[in-house]
Amino acid sequence: MRKFDKPDFDVKEIVLTCASSISDSEKKERIENVSEYIDQKSREYNSLAESHLLFQIDIHNMVDGLVSAEEMKQLYEDKFVKHKYVRPKYYDKIMILTNGICPVCELGQVGNLDHYLPKSLYPTYTLTPYNLIPICRDCNFKKKTETFSSYEKAPIHPYYDETDDEIWLKAELNIVENGLVAVYFVNSDIVNDVFVKKCISHMIIFDLYKKYATEAAREISENILMWKKGINKWGEDGFRDYINDIIKSLECIHNNSWKVALYRALLENVNVLYDV
Ligand SMILES: [Zn+2]
């Protein structure tokens, strides 16, 4: 969950480009006629998102009373996603914005674009680039077409939410019958308590407590022998130095990954290695 630069395409140009190959001239004209309205509304979307007020946008079923949600969906699927001249201009470029990794879970490969505000309920933003998030299929399935009544109930928006200023993702190591497990939680000590609630919503919506614990279980099982050897060989202080170097290296990528949270938990509790 890192912040990424939002795609910087002119939405009016996107609408007109998508409309240009429509053969039904009446429909083509109607869509061209709403391009200015969509442009203006997309600017409003950007301002509201910057102020964390995106939830104030009302659900609707027509774009400026002229084009239906179904027509916008068709325009998106037939032209924006599939048209051989339109797709490379926008869709393919947005798909690679996060280097192929899902920005929501940071585990899966990007499979398609998700409409942050679902296109069936907010058709005006079907082609708004700031509303299109490259996402893995699993996260897309989990989000479904929910609406969110407040900033804190909505998931983190990868183009607008500053997620790396503070350490909000933490873990603790617990000994269980068959070894060591990591339990993830959102750090409630950070200053911005609204953001704490938002992070918790994000973790629940995308089932990330469980996913991160599973990733951590693999990391622990692959490394535990080496960690135990390390603490015996270098002593606790030497082992802490080694773990600290791993943390610093992971922090260069980002501050709140499941992996850096796991190594911070190990650093805080290296003694746990004597008991497993
Ligand atoms: Zn994902």
Side-chain angles (χ1 to χ4, degrees):
M1 289 145 284
R2 271 170 290 170
K3 192 179 176 191
F4 289 89
D5 291 338
K6 58 179 182 286
D8 197 18
F9 298 113
D10 180 341
V11 65
K12 190 174 170 185
E13 183 198 296
I14 296 177
V15 176
L16 294 176
T17 307
C18 288
S20 64
S21 58
I22 296 174
S23 46
D24 176 341
S25 56
E26 181 275 329
K27 187 173 167 185
K28 183 179 175 185
E29 200 181 324
R30 269 190 299 115
I31 291 172
E32 284 171 348
N33 284 342
V34 294
S35 64
E36 192 65 48
Y37 175 81
I38 290 174
D39 186 58
Q40 180 208 330
K41 285 287 173 187
S42 297
R43 284 170 210 267
E44 275 175 35
Y45 178 112
N46 187 49
S47 308
L48 288 169
E50 280 175 351
S51 314
H52 300 162
L53 296 172
L54 215 45
F55 64 92
Q56 288 186 351
I57 296 179
D58 289 329
I59 59 170
H60 51 275
N61 50 28
M62 293 290 283
V63 181
D64 202 17
L66 286 172
V67 179
S68 69
E70 188 52 38
E71 286 173 319
M72 287 304 290
K73 180 174 172 248
Q74 211 175 25
L75 189 68
Y76 176 80
E77 287 172 359
D78 295 349
K79 308 299 179 188
F80 191 80
V81 179
K82 290 188 190 149
H83 193 282
K84 63 179 178 178
Y85 296 119
V86 182
R87 181 185 170 108
K89 282 176 86 115
Y90 314 110
Y91 183 90
D92 287 348
K93 287 179 180 160
I94 300 173
M95 283 286 280
I96 56 167
L97 272 184
T98 58
N99 302 319
I101 305 289
C102 173
V104 171
C105 65
E106 302 210 286
L107 297 171
Q109 265 192 322
V110 168
N112 56 327
L113 296 183
D114 172 57
H115 289 80
Y116 187 86
L117 296 184
K119 58 184 178 305
S120 55
L121 304 172
Y122 304 88
T124 300
Y125 310 98
T126 301
L127 296 170
T128 300
Y130 330 130
N131 194 42
L132 300 173
I133 318 284
I135 194 172
C136 76
R137 291 191 194 281
D138 196 34
C139 287
N140 200 21
F141 175 75
K142 289 199 166 75
K143 182 167 164 270
K144 301 188 180 100
T145 50
E146 280 188 65
T147 56
F148 304 99
S149 55
S150 66
Y151 172 72
E152 57 261 40
K153 283 184 184 156
I156 291 169
H157 197 312
Y159 302 146
Y160 292 98
D161 291 311
E162 291 293 346
T163 51
D164 249 9
D165 290 352
E166 294 187 273
I167 295 172
W168 61 265
L169 182 65
K170 293 194 89 175
E172 66 178 20
L173 292 172
N174 293 329
I175 296 172
V176 291
E177 206 179 314
N178 46 3
L180 200 58
V181 293
V183 177
Y184 283 83
F185 58 98
V186 174
N187 177 17
S188 55
D189 294 337
I190 63 175
V191 188
N192 186 343
D193 57 333
V194 176
F195 188 63
V196 169
K197 287 181 191 159
K198 190 175 188 70
C199 292
I200 293 171
S201 302
H202 187 92
M203 295 290 286
I204 293 171
I205 293 165
F206 298 107
D207 199 18
L208 295 179
Y209 290 114
K210 195 167 135 201
K211 278 189 169 182
Y212 290 168
T214 306
E215 292 299 313
R218 187 182 303 139
E219 182 77 7
I220 291 168
S221 68
E222 285 173 1
N223 290 280
I224 193 147
L225 279 179
M226 199 175 70
W227 294 342
K228 284 167 80 80
K229 230 174 161 176
I231 199 163
N232 286 326
K233 195 171 160 190
W234 304 316
E236 285 179 25
D237 286 345
F239 182 68
R240 281 200 185 92
D241 287 345
Y242 164 70
I243 296 299
N244 236 327
D245 285 344
I246 295 176
I247 292 170
K248 278 183 195 137
S249 160
L250 292 169
E251 281 172 346
C252 293
I253 310 166
H254 108 94
N255 225 357
N256 289 290
S257 65
W258 67 267
K259 203 177 221 180
V260 75
L262 171 66
Y263 279 92
R264 284 187 189 125
L266 180 60
L267 185 71
E268 278 175 20
N269 190 11
V270 294
N271 290 324
V272 78
L273 295 174
Y274 295 126
D275 300 324
V276 282

